[in-house]
């Protein structure tokens, strides 16, 4: 987004200094001033409060906008369930804690953010609310989810439509936000306002002000007074404030201010529950940074003793789940090892064994399926000792599903299929059709993946049809079914499934990427281009999307646009072989042959097996009359791709031009044996080489085959040399 008008970044050491530059909040004028401090409501403190102020008006006047983005709205501001109906629930969102066996991907919060930003774009138009202004105070103290929101809204929305002001201390701790501010915002220094410290103020009253601010106050006198009063007085203030907030019955307060106060209050049980409840919610919602933070805070107050084990395990295992989702898998395994050192509780050891197995087969960057198998077997042995039959059966089915994943990863697809099918049947037999609906849907979806890997596509579709029937609002299922249709060439049906997934999901980059590919295969390049462009709007670092759009631009003759995409991609990944190859093609299209050769050789330096780079470099060298160089490149390429007909064809052509006719005949023959689609051309050229070698009978046989394939551009030549053939 190129822009001259910019958003604003107000910096100053104190809130009072910065607020002097804030506009007055006035919803009637479209001005919203919001405190972003994470202490207040945890995840989406800022963005959630913005929606709490906006959505009632939007719901009243333009309810269709809210309906389209209902998942995002209720994820940001759960209190709005009193205003907005949750119309797109899934088995995942509805599952009770005891049956929650699937968690969201870490990218979900970014998808939610894009959806809310698109809702805001639809609101801030002249026919609705017009231009809006958002001011976010304490932006440097925001929670991770608001960090994503700030960075994304600064990038995606032009200040002429919505002006965003972040107000913070000069030191911005979030690199993503700082980068966006540097690029899209004007930095404004707040003047220092001289203030006189109040004299004779009651320390307890000053301390109370700090507590009432939920720890967000930066007034030095309030902080000093808070630290100076007796522990009992501080605890009493926090207890009182927690009770006041709980009486408001606003769920998001349980994610921020209430646990903050309970940690500092007098009741240990209230404190532990005050941390555990929001931690469970944050894990289920995919707010993994917040879940991890709450788990770390909770573990400070408990140990591995029997009376503390339930809390310790909850704080630990939800931390490990979050670490795995965030890609911090080594830290997760360290915590499980720590648990094994400190408890012999069978339930904890069983869950730790399963989770460690999944780290090794799914999450670690370097996977070890043998180690994963060892740990899953440990989990299964412990599950077999569970006395309660239903729990024993569920755990066995659940862990065998993990074993099936390992079997998939090592190529034992039939065994994986057996485990999943037996698990489904066992779950239905012991729990019926009303319990564990979520996990049954997971098993059905896993079965479809295995069937697809076995190329049993119709059966995979049958399974997906059933799982979509029972969980129609889960977009990943439509994505998976679209992928199966795409594999078997039923592209219209693939597109319909990708489209349905887009309709019911927050922005989901992979849906647009795959739909663009399907459109492209159908020759609907304008629709493919639109999907690639939207993909790059929400995920500008998507390398394959940028490469594919550059290719479409190049095919359309727009080399300038193609070059911009390629250069954007190379700025992210300078040694990306396909991008370098495409740059070479752009240079060739613009007849910059030296630059083209440089780019194609760079592509091969990055990937010595890249067929497209070899083919185009050989053509370029041939056109530069470096035929020997072309032959050398093609010979190297054939070493990597011995079945590639195009390489033999191109080398045969080069050999023919060098009058090395025997070698040309041999290469043309190899191209035919490799299934070349240029058989008619090959028969003529091989015949011409055979004529040069004096092998007239063989040449005439080739030309006869050439003529049998249809009209020939070489008819005059053949009539002169073999007139009898043209009269057959």
């Amino acid at each position: 987004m190129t822009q001259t008008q910019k958003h604003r970044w107000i910096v100053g050491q104190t809130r009072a200094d910065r607020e002097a530059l804030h506009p007055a909040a006035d919803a009637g004028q479209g001005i919203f001033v919001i405190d972003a401090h994470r202490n207040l409501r945890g995840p989406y403190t800022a963005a959630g409060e913005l929606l709490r102020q906006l959505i009632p008006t939007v719901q009243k006047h333009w309810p269709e906008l809210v309906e389209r983005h209902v998942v995002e709205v209720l994820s940001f501001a759960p209190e709005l369930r009193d205003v907005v109906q949750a119309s797109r629930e899934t088995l995942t969102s509805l599952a009770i804690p005891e049956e929650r066996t699937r968690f969201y991907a870490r990218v979900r919060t970014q998808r939610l953010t894009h959806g809310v930003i698109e809702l805001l774009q639809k609101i801030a138009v002249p026919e609705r609310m017009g231009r809006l202004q958002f001011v976010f105070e304490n932006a440097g103290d925001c929670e991770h989810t608001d960090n994503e929101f700030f960075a994304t809204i600064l990038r995606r929305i032009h200040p002429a439509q919505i002006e965003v002001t972040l107000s913070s201390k000069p030191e911005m701790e979030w690199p993503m936000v700082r980068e966006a501010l540097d690029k899209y915002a004007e930095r404004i220094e707040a003047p220092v306002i001289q203030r006189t410290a109040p004299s004779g103020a009651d320390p307890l009253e000053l301390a109370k002000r700090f507590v009432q601010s939920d720890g967000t106050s930066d007034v030095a006198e309030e902080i000093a007074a808070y630290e100076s009063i007796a522990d009992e007085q501080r605890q009493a203030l926090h207890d009182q404030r927690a009770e006041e907030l709980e009486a408001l019955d606003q769920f998001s307060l349980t994610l921020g201010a209430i646990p903050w106060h309970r940690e500092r209050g007098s009741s240990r049980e209230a404190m532990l529950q005050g941390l555990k409840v929001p931690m469970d919610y944050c894990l289920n919602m995919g707010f993994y940074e917040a879940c991890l933070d709450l788990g770390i805070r909770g573990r400070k107050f408990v140990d591995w003793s029997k009376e503390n084990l339930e809390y310790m395990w909850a704080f630990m295992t939800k931390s490990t789940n979050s670490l795995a989702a965030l890609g911090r898998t080594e830290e997760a395994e360290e915590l499980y090892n720590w648990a094994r050192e400190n408890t012999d509780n069978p339930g904890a050891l069983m869950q730790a064994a399963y989770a460690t197995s999944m780290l090794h087969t799914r999450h670690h960057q370097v996977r070890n399926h043998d180690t994963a198998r060892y740990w899953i077997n440990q989990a299964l042995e412990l599950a077999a000792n569970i006395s309660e039959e239903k729990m024993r059966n569920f755990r066995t089915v659940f862990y065998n599903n993990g074993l099936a994943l390992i079997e998939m990863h090592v190529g034992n697809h039939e065994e994986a299929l057996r485990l999943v099918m037996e698990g489904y049947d066992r779950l239905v037999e012991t729990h019926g059709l009303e319990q564990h609906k979520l996990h049954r849907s997971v098993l059905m979806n896993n079965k479809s993946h295995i069937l697809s890997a076995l190329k049993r596509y119709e059966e995979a579709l049958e399974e997906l049809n059933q799982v979509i029937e029972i969980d129609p609002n889960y977009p990943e299922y439509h994505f998976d079914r679209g992928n199966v249709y795409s594999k078997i060439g039923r592209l219209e049906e693939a597109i319909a499934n990708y489209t349905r997934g887009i309709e019911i999901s927050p922005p989901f980059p992979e849906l647009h990427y795959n739909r663009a590919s399907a459109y492209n295969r159908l020759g609907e390049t304008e629709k493919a281009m639109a999907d690639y462009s939207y993909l790059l709007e929400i995920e500008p670092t998507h390398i394959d999307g940028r490469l594919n759009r550059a290719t479409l631009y190049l095919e359309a003759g727009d080399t300038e646009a193609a070059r911009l995409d390629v250069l954007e991609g190379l700025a992210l990944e300078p040694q990306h072989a396909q991008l370098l190859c495409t740059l070479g093609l752009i240079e060739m299209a613009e007849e910059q042959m030296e630059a083209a050769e440089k780019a194609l050789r760079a592509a091969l330096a990055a990937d010595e097996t890249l067929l497209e780079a070899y083919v185009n470099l050989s053509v370029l060298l041939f056109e530069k009359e470096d035929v020997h160089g072309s032959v050398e490149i093609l010979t190297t390429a054939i070493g990597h791709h011995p079945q590639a007909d195009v390489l033999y064809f191109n080398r045969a052509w080069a050999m023919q031009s060098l009058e090395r006719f025997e070698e040309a005949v041999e290469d043309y023959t190899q191209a035919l044996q490799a299934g070349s689609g240029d058989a008619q051309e090959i028969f003529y050229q091989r015949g011409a080489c055979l004529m040069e070698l004096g092998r007239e009978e063989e040449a005439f046989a080739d030309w006869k085959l050439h003529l049998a394939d249809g009209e020939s551009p070489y008819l005059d030549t053949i009539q002169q040399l073999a007139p009898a053939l043209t009269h057959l």
Side-chain angles (χ1 to χ4, degrees):
M1 178 174 65
T2 302
Q3 60 186 55
T4 52
Q5 186 179 353
K6 290 194 169 189
H7 298 291
R8 303 197 310 156
W9 180 24
I10 297 174
V11 298
Q13 285 298 334
T14 70
R15 176 171 185 156
D17 291 343
R18 300 188 297 267
E19 285 183 334
L21 299 181
H22 292 182
D26 186 342
Q29 295 297 313
I31 303 171
F32 299 84
V33 181
I34 291 165
D35 194 331
H37 201 296
R38 57 180 170 261
N39 276 16
L40 300 177
R41 295 176 187 260
Y44 296 119
T45 291
E49 179 58 26
L50 176 64
L51 293 188
R52 277 184 286 275
Q53 294 185 30
L54 273 172
I55 291 302
T57 299
V58 180
Q59 177 69 14
K60 179 179 178 181
H61 296 286
W62 311 287
E64 70 282 1
L65 299 184
V66 181
E67 165 61 22
R68 174 63 185 88
H69 297 283
V70 65
V71 173
E72 299 96 297
V73 167
L74 295 181
S75 297
F76 274 44
E79 293 84 2
L80 288 171
R81 285 180 181 270
D82 294 336
V83 178
V84 178
Q85 183 179 1
S87 57
R88 290 208 297 276
E89 298 282 17
T90 67
L91 291 181
T92 303
S93 64
L94 291 171
I96 61 175
E98 294 78 12
E99 295 188 4
R100 187 67 180 265
T101 59
R102 175 172 61 201
F103 297 96
Y104 295 116
R106 67 179 293 188
V107 295
R108 183 172 187 262
T109 54
Q110 186 66 71
R111 293 177 186 173
L112 295 171
T113 287
H114 283 300
V116 165
I117 287 171
E118 288 169 17
L119 171 61
L120 296 173
Q121 287 176 314
K122 296 168 188 174
I123 295 169
V125 293
E127 61 270 27
R128 294 189 177 121
M129 294 186 72
R131 184 173 184 266
L132 301 175
Q133 296 181 62
F134 303 152
V135 179
F136 297 105
E137 179 50 60
N138 284 323
D141 294 301
C142 70
E143 201 272 334
H144 177 79
T145 49
D146 279 324
N147 159 50
E148 283 185 335
F149 176 74
F150 291 154
T152 308
I153 195 171
L154 287 168
R155 176 178 68 81
R156 287 198 63 189
I157 295 189
H158 195 284
Q161 183 178 24
I162 299 176
E163 181 185 79
V164 177
T165 298
L166 298 192
S167 182
S168 73
K169 292 181 180 179
E171 303 80 23
M172 173 61 69
E173 69 174 87
W174 297 105
M176 184 170 21
V177 176
R178 180 57 191 263
E179 182 180 346
L181 286 168
D182 288 343
K183 192 169 185 179
Y184 302 115
E186 175 189 4
R187 180 183 172 119
I188 302 169
E189 300 283 344
V192 177
I193 300 174
Q194 299 296 325
R195 295 175 179 83
T196 303
S199 59
D202 179 7
L204 187 58
E205 181 57 34
L206 290 173
K208 185 175 182 179
R209 291 181 197 172
F210 178 78
V211 172
Q212 291 293 118
S213 78
D214 304 318
T216 67
S217 171
D218 62 359
V219 177
E221 293 78 17
E222 294 176 4
I223 296 171
Y226 171 80
E227 292 174 348
S228 72
I229 63 176
D231 291 345
E232 294 80 3
Q233 290 176 304
R234 273 198 304 272
Q235 289 176 347
L237 290 174
H238 284 294
D239 289 344
Q240 179 184 353
R241 178 61 173 163
E243 290 166 7
E244 291 171 359
L245 294 172
E246 287 168 350
L248 296 175
D249 194 25
Q250 295 183 21
F251 182 78
S252 60
L253 291 171
T254 70
L255 309 179
I258 291 173
W260 188 82
H261 288 293
R262 288 304 187 191
E263 282 177 278
R264 292 156 178 80
S266 62
S267 170
R268 184 173 187 275
E269 184 62 25
M271 176 268 296
L272 293 174
Q273 278 296 305
L275 291 169
K276 182 179 180 299
V277 169
M279 181 183 63
D280 292 344
Y281 175 81
C282 288
L283 179 68
N284 290 341
M285 292 297 292
F287 303 158
Y288 296 118
E289 296 280 0
C291 181
L292 181 59
D293 174 64
L294 289 160
I296 292 170
R297 287 155 61 183
R299 292 202 304 276
K300 293 177 181 177
F301 298 99
V302 292
D303 56 27
W304 287 100
S305 61
K306 186 176 181 180
E307 57 271 21
N308 283 320
L309 180 61
E310 182 179 349
Y311 278 119
M312 172 58 87
W313 183 251
F315 291 134
M316 199 217 74
T317 193
K318 289 175 174 58
S319 294
T320 54
N321 287 340
S322 298
L323 287 166
L326 293 168
R328 296 163 60 180
T329 60
E330 299 298 336
E331 295 173 69
E333 187 164 8
E334 286 175 10
L335 279 179
Y336 282 122
N337 290 336
W338 178 58
R340 282 186 275 265
E341 292 170 1
N342 286 279
T343 183
D344 58 1
N345 179 273
L349 293 177
M350 177 180 66
Q351 293 179 58
Y354 167 77
T356 304
S357 174
M358 293 301 99
L359 289 174
H360 282 280
T361 200
R362 173 187 284 166
H363 296 293
H364 278 332
Q365 189 170 3
V366 178
R367 298 176 181 180
N368 188 322
H369 304 303
D370 290 336
T371 302
R373 191 186 298 279
Y374 167 82
W375 284 112
I376 204 72
N377 286 332
Q378 292 286 310
L380 284 163
E381 287 179 19
L382 289 163
N385 295 323
I386 297 174
S387 58
E388 202 277 315
E389 181 184 10
K390 279 194 169 184
M391 180 56 70
R392 181 174 66 251
N393 282 326
F394 172 72
R395 284 292 171 188
T396 300
V397 169
F398 184 73
Y399 298 147
N400 271 327
N401 186 46
L403 179 58
L405 179 65
I406 298 169
E407 299 294 358
M408 273 280 288
H409 287 164
V410 299
N412 295 334
H413 297 110
E414 293 290 354
E415 176 62 9
L417 185 61
R418 183 191 70 80
L419 288 164
V420 169
M421 292 174 66
E422 287 186 2
Y424 182 90
D425 291 341
R426 186 172 183 176
L427 202 59
V428 172
E429 180 183 345
T430 58
H431 289 78
L433 295 176
E434 293 306 312
Q435 287 185 297
H436 290 294
K437 289 182 179 180
L438 174 60
H439 194 59
R440 282 193 291 110
S441 76
V442 169
L443 290 169
M444 294 166 71
N445 191 45
N446 289 352
K447 180 181 175 183
S448 75
H449 282 296
I450 299 167
L451 289 167
S452 184
L454 289 167
K455 295 183 169 50
R456 293 161 60 178
Y457 297 119
E458 293 300 330
E459 294 172 79
L461 287 172
E462 284 181 32
E463 208 67 29
L464 284 165
N465 291 341
Q466 292 180 52
V467 78
I468 288 172
E469 186 175 344
I470 64 173
D471 198 2
N473 292 324
Y474 196 68
E476 279 80 354
Y477 292 154
H478 298 275
F479 176 71
D480 290 340
R481 190 165 66 177
N483 289 343
V484 176
Y485 278 127
S486 181
K487 286 178 182 177
I488 59 178
R490 292 163 62 176
L491 297 177
E492 296 286 359
E493 289 157 295
I495 288 168
N497 275 271
Y498 296 141
T499 301
R500 182 55 183 159
I502 289 167
E503 289 170 350
I504 62 175
S505 173
F508 187 156
E510 292 80 6
L511 280 166
H512 289 276
Y513 178 80
N514 285 19
R515 190 173 70 170
S517 299
Y519 276 136
N520 196 28
R521 288 167 63 188
L522 283 174
E524 298 188 44
T525 54
E526 287 188 12
K527 292 180 179 178
M529 183 71 79
D531 264 338
Y532 284 132
S533 295
Y534 177 76
L535 166 71
L536 293 170
E537 169 68 16
I538 62 176
E539 195 168 324
T541 60
H542 197 293
I543 294 290
D544 288 340
R546 203 161 284 285
L547 171 66
N548 290 355
R549 190 173 72 170
T551 301
L552 288 180
Y553 277 133
L554 180 58
E555 290 172 353
D558 190 346
T559 56
E560 182 179 354
R563 184 186 296 275
L564 285 174
D565 265 344
V566 167
L567 294 179
E568 287 277 355
L570 289 172
L572 298 166
E573 199 170 325
Q575 299 304 311
H576 193 285
Q578 286 282 2
L579 285 169
L580 289 165
C581 182
T582 304
L583 179 59
L585 295 177
I586 294 167
E587 302 290 9
M588 288 177 71
E590 295 183 348
E591 299 183 356
Q592 301 297 317
M593 295 309 181
E594 295 303 321
E597 181 176 351
K598 181 180 178 182
L600 291 169
R601 290 192 183 279
L604 290 171
D607 179 1
E608 64 177 0
T609 70
L610 187 58
L611 177 61
E612 187 180 3
Y614 280 118
V615 171
N616 286 289
L617 182 56
S618 73
V619 171
L620 184 149
L621 292 173
F622 189 89
E623 291 178 354
K624 288 177 62 178
E625 300 184 358
D626 182 3
V627 184
H628 290 286
S630 180
V631 168
E632 182 181 346
I633 283 293
L634 289 163
T635 301
T636 302
I638 287 168
H640 294 293
H641 301 280
Q643 302 302 316
D645 62 280
V646 65
L647 298 176
Y648 291 107
F649 181 90
N650 283 12
R651 191 170 70 172
W653 189 277
M655 293 293 191
Q656 188 175 354
S657 72
L658 292 171
E659 300 185 358
R660 292 163 62 175
F661 298 115
E662 287 281 5
E663 293 161 284
V665 167
E666 190 174 320
D667 274 348
Y668 281 132
T669 302
Q670 288 281 4
L672 285 170
Q673 292 174 351
S676 174
D678 293 313
Q680 186 182 26
E681 179 71 18
I682 290 173
F683 284 131
Y684 174 76
Q685 297 298 344
R686 188 173 69 174
C689 293
L690 290 166
M691 286 290 287
E692 294 288 346
L693 292 168
R695 293 157 61 179
E696 187 174 280
E697 186 176 343
E698 294 172 75
F700 287 179
D702 267 359
W703 284 350
K704 184 177 180 180
L705 292 169
H706 167 79
L707 292 171
D709 270 354
E711 293 185 10
S712 169
Y714 307 109
L715 187 60
D716 290 344
T717 302
I718 295 173
Q719 283 179 331
Q720 292 177 13
L721 298 175
L725 292 178
T726 62
H727 299 296
L728 291 176

